[in-house]
Amino acid sequence: MVELRHSSSSLGNRVASSPVKRDEDASPLIHDHFSPHVVDHPRHFSRDRDRSFCWQIHSFFPFSKDDPRFSQRGSRISLFVLILVAIAGLISIFSILHRLNSPYLCKKDGIVLHCPRVKEKTSLWENPFSATTSWKPCAERRQGGISELPPENETSGYLFIHAEGGLNQQRIAICNAVAVAKIMNATLILPVLKQDQIWKDQTKFEDIFDVDHFIDYLKDDVRIVRDIPEWFTDKSELFTSIRRTVKNIPKYAPAQFYIDNVLPRIKEKKIMSLKPFVDRLGYDNVPPEINRLRCRVNYHALKFLPEIDEMSDLLVSRMRNRTGSPNPYMALHLRFEKGMVGLSFCDFVGTREEKARMAEYRKKEWPRRYKNGTHLWQLALQKRKEGRCPLEPGEVAVILRAMGYPKETQIYVASGQVYGGQNRMAPLRNMFPNLVTKEELASKEELAVFRKHVTSLAALDFLVCLKSDVFVMTHGGNFAKLIIGARRYMGHRQKSIKPDKGLMSKSFGDPYMGWANFVEDVVITHQTRTGLPEETFPNYDLWENPLTPCMCKA
C-alpha cells in the first residue's frame, strides 16, 4: 500500500511538470496560424483541453513531439477515434447488462423456452441457482436402444439373492444384484426380501415395488424373471443347501471376483444363491458402466407402488399447507432410537439411573464389545471427538437455530421411538414447536393399509423426506445417504444438510464460546454441506454421491 501511494505521488509530480505546462508556446500542438477569431475565454479553455487530450494520446501515434507532420488535424482525428472507442465501450456495457436482465433460451420437457434470469441470493431453503446447473443425471435408460441380451436359455445360469435388513439396505442389495447379474451375464430371479430380526417384517418385493416397471425398465440390461424356473423342483434347496449357496464373498468385492469365483459355479449348477449379500460389491473396483447400471436401478427402475406414492404426495401436500397458505417444510431424519444409542457406545446426557440401564442394555446386546465396561468412557470420548455419535434432539435444535431457521419452521420428523421419550424431545420441540410425524398428518384409517408391512411405513417416510424443501440428517445410515444421493441426482436445488458432528462436538464442549461465534462457525462450516455434487474419491459411497458414474456435465 505504501508503494502504491508513492507511485501515485510520483505520477502526480510528473504530470505537474509535463512539457505541455513548461513549453506551452513551443508545443507543436499549438500553431501560430490558429484561428484569429477565437478571443473569448471559453474557447481558450476548450483549446487548452484539446491540448491536454492531444498530449495524452501523443504516445499512441508514431510521431514525436517535434515532428511537423503531427498537425492539429491529426490531433482532432485522434480525438475522434477516442470518442468512437468510448462509444463502443458504452454500447458493450449496455449490451452485457441487457443480456443479464433478459430471458435466455432453455429447454424444458424437450421444448425450447425463454427462461428468466435467476438472481443469486442466499436462501435457507435452496442452493444457489448457479451451483445447480453444472451437472445433470445421465443414468436413465437409453431411448431406442437395441437389446444385446441373449435368450434366457443362453445366459450363464440363474442368480438368486436374499435382500436382508431394512427397506433401504434391501434397496441397495437389489441394485447390487442387478449389477452382479450383468457382470456374469446371468438371469436374475426376482430378489426375496428376507425377514430381518429387528424389523420382523414378511414383506415381499411386490408388496413395496412395482415389479412390472422394474422388469420392463431393465429389459435391455439384465434378464429378470419373477420366480425360480419350474424345472428346478426343490426350491427350498436355494434357502438351505450349502451346495447351492456362495457364502465366501468378501465385502466390497471387485467385479473380477465374481467372474473368477462365482461364475464357474453358476455355469456348473445352473442356479446359485448368494448369501449374505450386504455390501458385497465395491464401487471403484468395478467398470463405470456397472456403477451407472446401479444408478439406473436405484433412481429409475425401483419405483414404489402407486398407492404408496399417492399417500406420500398427500402427506407432502398437508406439510406444505399447514399454515393456511403455501409454505416450505423441512424433513428431519432423527436417529436417536434406543438401539442406535446403545450400538453407538457414545455417552449422552442423562441421570445415573438412565446411564446404568443403558450399560446393562449394551452388556446384554453386545457382550463382546462391552467386555467389562472399563474402556467405554475413553471410547465414547474418542467417538464424539471424531463425529461418530448421533446428535441429540436438543443439539439438532441449536444447530438449526444457528443456521437461521425460525421458530415457525414446519418440520416433518422421520424417526422411530426416540430414546428418552418426550423429555428428550422437549428442547427440540420448545425451539421448533411445529414438529409433526406421519401419524399426526394422517388418520389411523388412512395409515391402516400401510401398517400391514413395516417397510411400507418406512417407504412413506422415505418419499416425504425425498420431496422436502430441506432434508437434515443427524446420523449416518442407508436411509440418509440414499435420500441425499437421490436429491443430488435429481437436481440438487433443494438443500440436504449433513451436519459436521465433529466440529459441533468441539463447539458444544467449549464453555467460553458465545452465541455469535457459534453461529458464525455453524454457518461457515455448513456452506459446503448442503447436498451439492462432490468430487469422488477412492472407495466413495455411490449411494450418497452418484456424481462421477451417474451424472454428466450439463
Side-chain angles (χ1 to χ4, degrees):
M1 184 64 75
V2 173
E3 294 178 358
L4 180 60
R5 288 197 296 266
H6 177 72
S7 301
S8 300
S9 176
S10 301
L11 180 62
N13 293 336
R14 288 197 296 271
V15 172
S17 60
S18 169
V20 178
K21 299 293 183 179
R22 294 198 312 267
D23 304 316
E24 196 171 48
D25 294 336
S27 172
L29 300 181
I30 305 175
H31 299 271
D32 295 334
H33 57 273
F34 194 82
S35 175
H37 301 289
V38 180
V39 294
D40 54 315
H41 179 74
R43 292 300 297 270
H44 280 294
F45 174 77
S46 177
R47 184 175 61 188
D48 293 339
R49 185 177 58 189
D50 288 346
R51 288 204 303 269
S52 64
F53 267 110
C54 293
W55 181 258
Q56 292 176 33
I57 66 173
H58 177 237
S59 60
F60 291 97
F61 293 90
F63 305 112
S64 67
K65 176 183 170 198
D66 299 323
D67 195 330
R69 292 175 296 172
F70 194 74
S71 63
Q72 185 173 353
R73 175 177 294 180
S75 69
R76 289 181 176 174
I77 292 175
S78 302
L79 181 61
F80 179 71
V81 171
L82 285 178
I83 292 174
L84 287 179
V85 172
I87 293 174
L90 289 174
I91 292 174
S92 298
I93 292 174
F94 283 120
S95 175
I96 292 173
L97 292 175
H98 176 72
R99 289 181 63 186
L100 289 175
N101 294 322
S102 63
Y104 67 100
L105 293 178
C106 66
K107 185 177 288 187
K108 183 176 182 180
D109 298 330
I111 303 174
V112 178
L113 304 171
H114 287 279
C115 300
R117 299 278 172 178
V118 178
K119 295 183 178 179
E120 295 293 310
K121 61 180 181 179
T122 303
S123 171
L124 289 173
W125 301 98
E126 294 179 334
N127 282 314
F129 179 78
S130 60
T132 64
T133 56
S134 299
W135 297 92
K136 65 178 181 179
C138 58
E140 60 269 29
R141 181 175 58 184
R142 298 182 301 275
Q143 296 297 325
I146 300 176
S147 176
E148 299 177 355
L149 293 178
E152 184 177 334
N153 58 356
E154 294 183 13
T155 60
S156 303
Y158 290 85
L159 178 66
F160 181 78
I161 68 113
H162 296 80
E164 302 172 340
L167 172 64
N168 301 290
Q169 187 169 305
Q170 291 171 344
R171 187 185 189 97
I172 292 174
I174 293 168
C175 297
N176 288 341
V178 173
V180 169
K182 179 70 173 180
I183 290 171
M184 298 187 296
N185 190 30
T187 297
L188 178 66
I189 300 171
L190 197 68
V192 170
L193 307 186
K194 185 181 178 183
Q195 178 180 346
D196 186 79
Q197 292 181 353
I198 298 176
W199 286 71
K200 303 294 184 184
D201 193 31
Q202 294 283 6
T203 305
K204 297 179 181 179
F205 191 106
E206 55 268 27
D207 294 329
I208 297 293
F209 300 110
D210 187 332
V211 177
D212 292 332
H213 176 79
F214 178 73
I215 295 176
D216 180 70
Y217 196 92
L218 298 171
K219 64 184 179 182
D220 294 332
D221 296 297
V222 175
R223 191 169 300 284
I224 303 173
V225 295
R226 289 175 176 266
D227 204 352
I228 300 170
E230 294 182 357
W231 55 263
F232 189 77
T233 55
D234 191 3
K235 296 184 179 181
S236 61
E237 189 177 354
L238 280 176
F239 296 88
T240 58
S241 175
I242 298 178
R243 294 179 302 169
R244 294 283 181 180
T245 304
V246 181
K247 288 191 173 185
N248 59 343
I249 303 175
K251 275 198 169 187
Y252 307 111
Q256 194 63 40
F257 177 89
Y258 287 92
I259 295 174
D260 295 340
N261 299 278
V262 181
L263 181 57
R265 297 190 64 182
I266 289 181
K267 288 182 176 180
E268 177 189 357
K269 300 289 186 180
K270 295 304 178 184
I271 295 183
M272 289 299 295
S273 171
L274 306 184
K275 192 174 79 171
F277 198 67
V278 178
D279 297 328
R280 302 295 155 170
L281 185 63
Y283 301 118
D284 59 341
N285 52 7
V286 299
E289 58 268 22
I290 294 299
N291 280 333
R292 195 172 297 114
L293 174 60
R294 293 156 95 179
C295 289
R296 190 175 304 132
V297 179
N298 187 25
Y299 303 127
H300 300 283
L302 276 178
K303 281 191 173 183
F304 291 114
L305 292 175
E307 52 266 33
I308 296 177
D309 201 44
E310 290 169 5
M311 187 62 198
S312 72
D313 286 339
L314 180 60
L315 296 176
V316 169
S317 176
R318 291 174 181 176
M319 279 301 304
R320 294 196 189 282
N321 292 277
R322 295 195 71 231
T323 61
S325 58
N327 60 265
Y329 77 93
M330 174 189 294
L332 175 63
H333 184 221
L334 190 59
R335 297 209 69 187
F336 208 76
E337 306 90 348
K338 183 178 180 180
M340 176 54 61
V341 172
L343 181 60
S344 70
F345 278 83
C346 293
D347 185 61
F348 298 98
V349 175
T351 63
R352 289 185 178 181
E353 293 77 9
E354 188 177 22
K355 292 188 176 185
R357 289 195 298 270
M358 176 53 67
E360 289 297 322
Y361 173 70
R362 287 170 172 167
K363 184 177 180 180
K364 177 184 177 181
E365 297 293 330
W366 302 279
R368 292 185 178 181
R369 291 185 60 187
Y370 187 85
K371 298 180 181 178
N372 59 7
T374 56
H375 68 294
L376 294 181
W377 174 247
Q378 188 64 34
L379 174 64
L381 289 177
Q382 184 65 24
K383 294 189 72 173
R384 185 164 291 278
K385 182 179 179 181
E386 295 172 354
R388 295 161 57 197
C389 294
L391 288 172
E392 296 189 46
E395 293 174 328
V396 176
V398 173
I399 293 173
L400 293 179
R401 184 58 61 84
M403 288 180 178
Y405 290 98
K407 184 177 182 179
E408 297 75 24
T409 302
Q410 303 293 324
I411 301 179
Y412 178 90
V413 180
S415 173
Q417 183 65 40
V418 173
Y419 176 65
Q422 294 301 318
N423 290 337
R424 184 73 65 174
M425 286 290 292
L428 176 60
R429 193 171 291 278
N430 289 339
M431 297 184 73
F432 295 95
N434 295 315
L435 298 176
V436 291
T437 62
K438 58 182 173 293
E439 288 79 12
E440 295 170 290
L441 285 175
S443 65
K444 291 183 179 180
E445 291 75 20
E446 289 175 318
L447 294 178
V449 64
F450 303 101
R451 293 189 183 280
K452 297 178 182 178
H453 306 289
V454 176
T455 46
S456 296
L457 296 175
L460 290 177
D461 277 340
F462 184 93
L463 289 174
V464 177
C465 289
L466 183 66
K467 299 171 184 178
S468 65
D469 297 280
V470 169
F471 172 71
V472 180
M473 61 174 287
T474 60
H475 197 52
N478 294 321
F479 182 98
K481 67 184 181 183
L482 283 170
I483 292 287
I484 291 178
R487 288 164 69 91
R488 277 178 168 146
Y489 182 80
M490 294 188 303
H492 46 272
R493 187 70 197 274
Q494 284 77 29
K495 287 187 175 182
S496 301
I497 299 174
K498 185 178 182 179
D500 188 334
K501 296 183 292 181
L503 182 64
M504 291 299 98
S505 68
K506 295 178 183 178
S507 300
F508 288 136
D510 187 352
Y512 302 104
M513 177 172 284
W515 176 249
N517 290 335
F518 177 74
V519 169
E520 183 180 9
D521 282 357
V522 170
V523 171
I524 293 175
T525 300
H526 294 90
Q527 284 177 345
T528 57
R529 302 177 70 89
T530 58
L532 293 174
E534 301 173 358
E535 293 298 329
T536 56
F537 48 87
N539 298 316
Y540 68 92
D541 195 318
L542 175 72
W543 313 114
E544 185 174 341
N545 186 28
L547 177 63
T548 301
C550 308
M551 301 181 73
C552 309
K553 281 285 187 180

